[in-house]
Amino acid sequence: MTDQWTDQDVAERFKSALYTLKRLPERRSGCYNKLWPPIVYDKLEIMQQEKKRFRLGPPLPKAIDRMEETFTWIAWLTPDERQLVWLRAARMPWREVCPRVGLSKTVAFQRWTASLLKIAKRLNRERK
């Protein structure tokens, strides 16, 4: 990244924050213990099982720190801007975003860009 924040840098940071959030381990209740012994499957049973989706391990601590920093930026936006930024960070297509926020594609794109620029401007101001 260069010395100055841009709207694209902010958008990428929101995408990585959402990705990090998805990679956090599930929260489990402490009351469930594994009382059964592990099941040992033979080769035929393993072949007949449904394939499990490959899942990466938990995120690195640096990624969690960046995610938490990104969460503080959300306070600088209005609720409508927050919704728009998070929907786009989740890579939702504009065709689905527009009905949710009640805007046309052009206006939604302009407000999304303005929201990212608002964050970038404040980050650049704080950096000085």
Side-chain angles (χ1 to χ4, degrees), residues 94 98-99 101-110:
W94 286 110
C98 295
V101 295
L103 301 170
S104 69
K105 182 179 176 181
T106 305
V107 174
F109 178 77
Q110 290 172 347

Side-chain angles (χ1 to χ4, degrees), residues 16-17 20 23 59-68:
S16 68
T20 302
R23 285 184 58 194
L60 298 174
K62 287 183 181 181
I64 295 173
D65 291 341
R66 284 193 307 269
M67 177 190 68
E68 290 175 347

Side-chain angles (χ1 to χ4, degrees), residues 40-101:
V40 180
Y41 296 104
D42 62 5
K43 290 181 183 181
L44 182 62
E45 290 174 327
I46 292 173
M47 288 176 20
Q48 292 174 345
Q49 289 178 355
E50 290 182 19
K51 301 292 182 211
K52 292 183 180 178
R53 219 171 132 209
F54 179 73
R55 185 174 167 99
L56 295 174
L60 298 174
K62 287 183 181 181
I64 295 173
D65 291 341
R66 284 193 307 269
M67 177 190 68
E68 290 175 347
E69 180 186 10
T70 306
F71 286 166
T72 62
W73 303 348
I74 286 293
W76 304 340
L77 301 174
T78 65
D80 294 337
E81 292 171 335
R82 291 176 196 166
Q83 181 184 17
L84 194 55
V85 168
W86 277 117
L87 289 174
R88 287 303 296 162
R91 296 188 172 124
M92 184 175 285
W94 286 110
R95 184 175 296 196
E96 295 176 26
V97 170
C98 295
R100 285 191 182 202
V101 295

